[in-house]
Amino acid sequence: VKLAYRNVKRSMKDYFIYIITITIVVSLMFAFNSMMFSDMIRGMNSHMTDYMFLLVFFSIIVVIIVAWLINYMTKFMLDKRSKEFGTYLLLGMENIKISQLFLYENILLGIVSFIFGVVLGSFIFQVLTAVVTMFFGREYNVEIGFNIKALLLTIGYYGAIMFLVVLKNNKRLKKMKIYELLYADKRNEVVKIKNVTRNCVMFALSLIAGIVALNGAPVIVTLVCVVFFIYSFYIGISSVIILIFLKSKRLKYKKTNLFIFRELSSKLNTMGFTMGTLALLFTLTLLSSNYAVGVRDRKS
């Protein structure tokens, strides 16, 4: 525990972006959860039931995105400090002790980030509430204090995500050898196409889901189809692009294409999900804006 505390203080410059990111993530989760349980928001309009349903649906999607983000950042920090952990192995420390060290560090950073996130989330909640009340032409009153239900829900989300992420990385750390730790930061991701047929089917199904979403299906069906279309399209199209490039010698060896492809190959595995996430966030923003305008036009 003392070593973990010392490492956190010494590596604060490296962990700074991690703490900032997790703090912002927690603050947004807490702010949206507070809006879901706010009596002021619920009583503003007769159509707020639909609004709360969409907010819950979007919150679930955000939690999934947050889980991926925290997992990615934790893995990044593990790779960044792999040489240090490899040195501990050379000095005789066991893998299980190193995994415990990494666990204590993440718990310490997680608690600090959560506290700052809840405080920041309280201010964000006030700002969002002010925007919503202004949107509906109501008088804004500052709500002092924490919503216990929102706080407990945020703790549940955040705790479950951190538990699964740390458990996954600790399991990986226990199996890594000295050589893997010493050179983990220099190892590129391998470009793999595990199942070309599956990826092509996903790409085709994404187009079908997009057509269904555009033909006026029920709200829940439309939302599911939109999410499936975005992720399946980007994951499928990434694999198709890789397949076409690897199969076409003319394209592969033309000018500097091979060099450019090799530079991008380390990111191609995660690029599909990343682009899908960004596209989904933009889509949700547009849908929420259009829905808000519709609700405002129908306000009672």
Side-chain angles (χ1 to χ4, degrees):
V1 175
K2 291 174 63 177
L3 182 60
Y5 178 72
R6 191 205 68 176
N7 286 343
V8 170
K9 291 179 60 178
R10 186 186 62 186
S11 305
M12 187 57 66
K13 183 182 295 185
D14 297 329
Y15 277 120
F16 182 73
I17 185 64
Y18 178 88
I19 294 175
I20 293 297
T21 303
I22 302 302
T23 299
I24 295 175
V25 164
V26 172
S27 65
L28 293 176
M29 290 175 57
F30 180 70
F32 278 98
N33 290 338
S34 298
M35 292 187 68
M36 284 193 296
F37 292 104
S38 175
D39 295 332
M40 181 187 299
I41 299 294
R42 290 173 177 269
M44 284 186 182
N45 192 275
S46 59
H47 300 281
M48 275 299 169
T49 303
D50 298 335
Y51 164 78
M52 300 306 295
F53 170 77
L54 291 176
L55 190 59
V56 171
F57 180 81
F58 293 155
S59 297
I60 294 174
I61 296 177
V62 169
V63 168
I64 296 174
I65 296 173
V66 166
W68 169 78
L69 175 62
I70 294 178
N71 177 68
Y72 182 86
M73 292 195 64
T74 306
K75 181 178 178 297
F76 172 78
M77 294 307 302
L78 176 60
D79 292 339
K80 190 174 181 63
R81 300 186 56 207
S82 58
K83 287 186 178 180
E84 177 187 341
F85 293 146
T87 304
Y88 290 153
L89 281 180
L90 284 174
L91 294 174
M93 185 179 289
E94 299 177 355
N95 286 67
I96 188 171
K97 293 295 183 181
I98 298 177
S99 64
Q100 289 176 358
L101 173 65
F102 190 65
L103 172 64
Y104 295 151
E105 292 179 8
N106 279 275
I107 291 176
L108 180 60
L109 291 170
I111 293 175
V112 173
S113 301
F114 183 83
I115 294 174
F116 285 130
V118 170
V119 175
L120 179 61
S122 300
F123 290 101
I124 295 178
F125 166 68
Q126 299 296 336
V127 174
L128 293 177
T129 303
V131 172
V132 173
T133 53
M134 184 185 302
F135 189 81
F136 286 102
R138 301 294 182 87
E139 183 180 355
Y140 168 64
N141 296 318
V142 178
E143 293 185 8
I144 305 298
F146 295 106
N147 189 304
I148 301 300
K149 294 181 180 179
L151 182 62
L152 293 177
L153 183 60
T154 306
I155 292 175
Y157 283 155
Y158 182 70
I161 291 172
M162 290 298 295
F163 175 77
L164 294 176
V165 168
V166 173
L167 184 66
K168 177 183 177 181
N169 283 279
N170 278 12
K171 185 177 180 181
R172 175 192 172 206
L173 190 57
K174 289 179 181 179
K175 296 180 179 180
M176 295 185 73
K177 300 178 181 179
I178 296 177
Y179 176 84
E180 295 175 334
L181 286 170
L182 292 177
Y183 294 97
D185 59 337
K186 297 181 179 179
R187 187 171 59 249
N188 290 329
E189 295 181 11
V190 180
V191 181
K192 298 179 180 179
I193 307 178
K194 296 181 180 180
N195 195 327
V196 178
T197 303
R198 183 195 64 188
N199 293 335
C200 292
V201 170
M202 287 183 62
F203 181 73
L205 291 177
S206 70
L207 298 179
I208 296 175
I211 295 174
V212 173
L214 292 174
N215 286 335
V219 176
I220 184 63
V221 177
T222 301
L223 292 175
V224 172
C225 288
V226 168
V227 174
F228 179 80
F229 164 74
I230 292 175
Y231 279 110
S232 299
F233 176 82
Y234 280 101
I235 293 175
I237 198 65
S238 299
S239 300
V240 170
I241 291 174
I242 295 174
L243 179 63
I244 293 175
F245 187 86
L246 294 179
K247 294 294 183 181
S248 176
K249 293 183 178 180
R250 180 180 177 182
L251 181 63
K252 183 190 302 184
Y253 298 110
K254 184 178 179 181
K255 297 183 179 180
T256 58
N257 286 352
L258 184 61
F259 173 77
I260 295 174
F261 177 78
R262 188 57 203 163
E263 289 294 312
L264 294 175
S265 62
S266 63
K267 300 299 180 184
L268 285 175
N269 278 334
T270 56
M271 187 176 293
F273 187 85
T274 302
M275 294 298 295
T277 301
L278 293 175
L280 180 62
L281 291 175
F282 281 117
T283 303
L284 293 180
T285 302
L286 293 175
L287 290 175
S288 301
S289 300
N290 292 333
Y291 179 78
V293 173
V295 170
R296 188 173 189 272
D297 293 338
R298 304 194 308 265
K299 71 177 183 177
S300 55

